Amino acid sequence: MFSPRVELKSPDQIRTMRRAGLVTRAALEAARAVCVPGATTDDVDSAGAAAIAGAGAASNFLGYMGYPATLCVSVNDVIVHGIPGPRNLEPGDVVSIDGGAIVEGWHGDAAITVIVGGDAAADPVDLALSRATEGAMWAGIAAFASAKRVGDIGAAIDDFAAREAPEFGLVEEYTGHGIGTQMHMEPEVLNYRARNLGPKVRPGMVLAIEPMLTSGGIASHTLADEWTVMTDDGSRAAHWENSVARHADGIWVLTEDDGGAAGLAPYGIAPVPLD
Ligand code: MF3
Ligand code: CO
């Protein structure tokens, strides 16, 4: 039998991926800081690019299948893969920022959702949307800690969304993925419960877990630029992502400064850093 090839990482390889993860986080934080009214999505991209270059790392998005920027900056009804440009951000805009870095050939990939002008400027529905999406991501990451099969992660995301955010749409068309010597690798990490449970979880697996929710329906279309994915009904979307290692002694959220301690605490899980 052939099985999909999943790249399993050694502890030392995971340590190098941690460095890529921290550069990825620094890029997202730099990008977040310029998400203010009047800034352009190009400004957001430039801040992320400067952080990656300043760390001596490289962007994995830039040039990927011809992608023209360092970050994806997806505003309001853009679910994912928004291309930065001259658009001016306005108070209350919901901005998903997705990016990644390569260090010594190893990749990081993460995303956050930011509301321009801060939570005080947010429509309460948008704030709930972003928080539910972040919560769904942590539910998936927590499930990875004890998952037997990769499909257990999507089941946990699905259960969280159904329980905590039944008013929101859980996007099915875009998935998480394995990550390592490439940004996108086997296995696919579904954001919903599926009959096929997928491959067995093994020590050395590193997965990008990245749910997307909308405040309406989940039907989407891609613009003529072949990247920008928008909701059909104009509802807004949020996207949160982390790259997470499972090793012999536990999980480690490579793209969080605290290794995932705060996000996992409600689940009674402590991350196990290898450093
Ligand atoms: N980061 C996206 C994901 O999370 C992929 C972006 S593709 C790119 O998997 F071309 F925009 F980089
Ligand atoms: Co990803």
Side-chain angles (χ1 to χ4, degrees), residues 107-228:
H107 290 243
D109 184 7
I112 57 175
T113 296
V114 174
I115 296 180
V116 178
D119 292 355
D123 181 310
V125 174
D126 294 341
L127 198 53
L129 173 69
S130 179
R131 289 191 174 151
T133 309
E134 185 181 14
M137 174 190 71
W138 285 112
I141 294 170
F144 187 31
S146 57
K148 299 262 184 288
R149 297 270 184 175
V150 170
D152 297 346
I153 297 165
I157 291 170
D158 204 335
D159 289 347
F160 180 93
R163 189 178 68 243
E164 303 288 336
E167 71 276 33
F168 296 139
L170 179 60
V171 173
E172 296 183 357
E173 210 164 341
Y174 299 89
T175 69
H177 48 91
I179 181 167
T181 55
Q182 299 171 53
M183 173 166 58
H184 287 154
M185 308 183 79
E186 292 292 334
E188 192 169 56
V189 182
L190 300 180
N191 289 313
Y192 56 92
R193 184 186 293 281
R195 210 173 281 274
N196 181 345
L197 285 176
K200 282 190 174 146
V201 169
R202 297 183 192 284
M205 261 192 179
V206 185
L207 302 178
I209 297 174
E210 51 175 318
M212 284 147 253
L213 267 62
T214 79
S215 58
I218 64 169
S220 65
H221 58 281
T222 304
L223 297 188
D225 63 22
E226 294 186 333
W227 286 103
T228 312

Side-chain angles (χ1 to χ4, degrees), residues 41-42 44-45 61 67-85 87 95-99 174 212 221-223 225-230 239:
T41 54
D42 261 337
V44 176
D45 185 62
F61 283 31
Y67 188 72
T70 295
L71 302 180
C72 297
V73 184
S74 303
V75 182
N76 295 340
D77 53 345
V78 179
I79 300 173
V80 72
H81 300 164
I83 301 174
R87 176 178 185 153
V95 185
S96 297
I97 307 169
D98 189 354
Y174 299 89
M212 284 147 253
H221 58 281
T222 304
L223 297 188
D225 63 22
E226 294 186 333
W227 286 103
T228 312
V229 178
M230 306 187 68
H239 177 207

